[in-house]
Amino acid sequence: MSFLEIKDVISGYGKIPILHEASLEIQEGEMVAIIGSNGAGKTTLMHTIAGFLPLMNGSISFQGVRIDNKSASEIARMGLGYVPQRKNVFAEMSVLENLQMGAYTLRNPKDKINEMLDLFPRLKERIGQKAGTLSGGERQMLALASALIVNPKLLLLDEPITGLAPQIIKGLIEMIVQICNSGTTVVWVVEENPKEVLKHADRVYLMDSGLIKMERTGKEFLEKENLEELFLGH
């Protein structure tokens, strides 16, 4: 049984389908990358898995349980964490308040908040600062910490390193690899720095026009495919 199974999924916005019978499987403990050109449907796939978009057809199962008929909050309580590309922090709240919001369902939130601050020491330095005034890299750290604070079994990341400075990107990649190695399954939408990410990926799915067009290991993609052509949609 797959940890996450997406089968023949059609979904989109309103009555307009973006995904066209997309199918893929994720095994527990894997790091899986989703790549493709702009408009390929990668973010739509993440929104659909996380419960923010209804299915027009197909099924999604998480740990053997159908989740395509559940709300986003129900799916989150089952152990699925999602870090969207944009609007992933509460800008008017402080770093601490953001973490408290992430931990509101926990019995001992203070201990878990301190654990996140130890994992992301930069956030400890900014604990009272409004999230909207953080740098791009710091906001991504806060978004990651807010998702990790409830110990998700599966973490969906939508382009977490896009637009960041090279030194920040390196640190975030290392952090996400560490998170996966500690037992959290990671599905990662990749647009920038694919070579740096794919060398850590167990498997890679290529999307194009709402379809899953190819599945290979990260190593196979790096050795056999022209990534520039793939990301330009050729």
Side-chain angles (χ1 to χ4, degrees):
M1 180 182 69
S2 298
F3 195 59
L4 177 72
E5 182 180 31
I6 294 95
K7 187 174 182 180
D8 299 327
V9 164
I10 300 175
S11 73
Y13 303 88
K15 294 182 179 180
I16 301 173
I18 304 297
L19 301 181
H20 304 282
E21 296 187 346
S23 297
L24 57 90
E25 295 183 3
I26 311 295
Q27 305 303 325
E28 187 172 7
E30 283 189 311
M31 176 180 285
V32 174
I34 311 292
I35 66 171
S37 60
N38 287 334
K42 304 183 298 295
T43 293
T44 301
L45 177 64
M46 295 295 105
H47 284 172
T48 304
I49 297 170
F52 293 106
L53 285 177
L55 265 64
M56 300 174 185
N57 191 48
S59 65
I60 302 176
S61 297
F62 177 44
Q63 301 181 98
V65 178
R66 287 279 295 268
I67 61 172
D68 47 81
N69 57 353
K70 299 183 183 296
S71 68
S73 59
E74 288 176 314
I75 293 170
R77 285 195 292 271
M78 291 176 66
L80 189 148
Y82 176 44
V83 180
Q85 182 185 11
R86 299 182 179 87
K87 297 182 179 179
N88 52 20
V89 298
F90 297 101
E92 294 302 313
M93 293 183 177
S94 69
V95 168
L96 178 58
E97 288 168 337
N98 269 268
L99 293 175
Q100 289 171 335
M101 285 291 291
Y104 79 97
T105 60
L106 301 179
R107 291 184 178 179
N108 298 302
K110 187 176 180 180
D111 291 345
K112 197 63 184 179
I113 288 171
N114 287 334
E115 183 181 329
M116 290 299 104
L117 293 175
D118 289 338
L119 186 61
F120 298 93
R122 183 78 65 88
L123 297 180
K124 187 180 293 187
E125 299 171 4
R126 306 284 192 269
I127 191 70
Q129 189 171 325
K130 283 189 175 182
T133 67
L134 299 173
S135 70
E138 290 165 348
R139 283 197 299 274
Q140 290 293 48
M141 290 177 194
L142 179 56
L144 270 173
S146 298
L148 289 171
I149 208 162
V150 292
N151 293 320
K153 300 170 184 175
L154 172 64
L155 185 61
L156 305 180
L157 302 174
D158 194 351
E159 303 178 33
I161 59 174
T162 297
L164 302 181
Q167 65 271 25
I168 299 297
I169 288 173
K170 184 176 184 294
L172 275 175
I173 290 174
E174 290 174 353
M175 180 66 65
I176 293 166
V177 170
Q178 179 183 335
I179 289 165
C180 185
N181 289 341
S182 69
T184 301
T185 305
V186 175
V187 180
W188 185 341
V189 171
V190 179
E191 280 212 351
E192 293 188 3
N193 296 89
K195 292 181 180 178
E196 291 303 312
V197 177
L198 265 54
K199 67 184 182 182
H200 299 290
D202 296 295
R203 289 184 300 116
V204 182
Y205 285 99
L206 170 68
M207 292 192 69
D208 182 39
S209 302
L211 294 166
I212 303 293
K213 287 294 186 75
M214 188 186 299
E215 175 201 351
R216 287 188 174 172
T217 67
K219 183 179 179 181
E220 285 172 337
F221 260 102
L222 290 172
E223 290 179 349
K224 299 179 181 179
E225 300 298 333
N226 186 325
L227 292 178
E228 290 184 3
E229 288 187 1
L230 293 177
F231 277 78
L232 289 172
H234 297 159

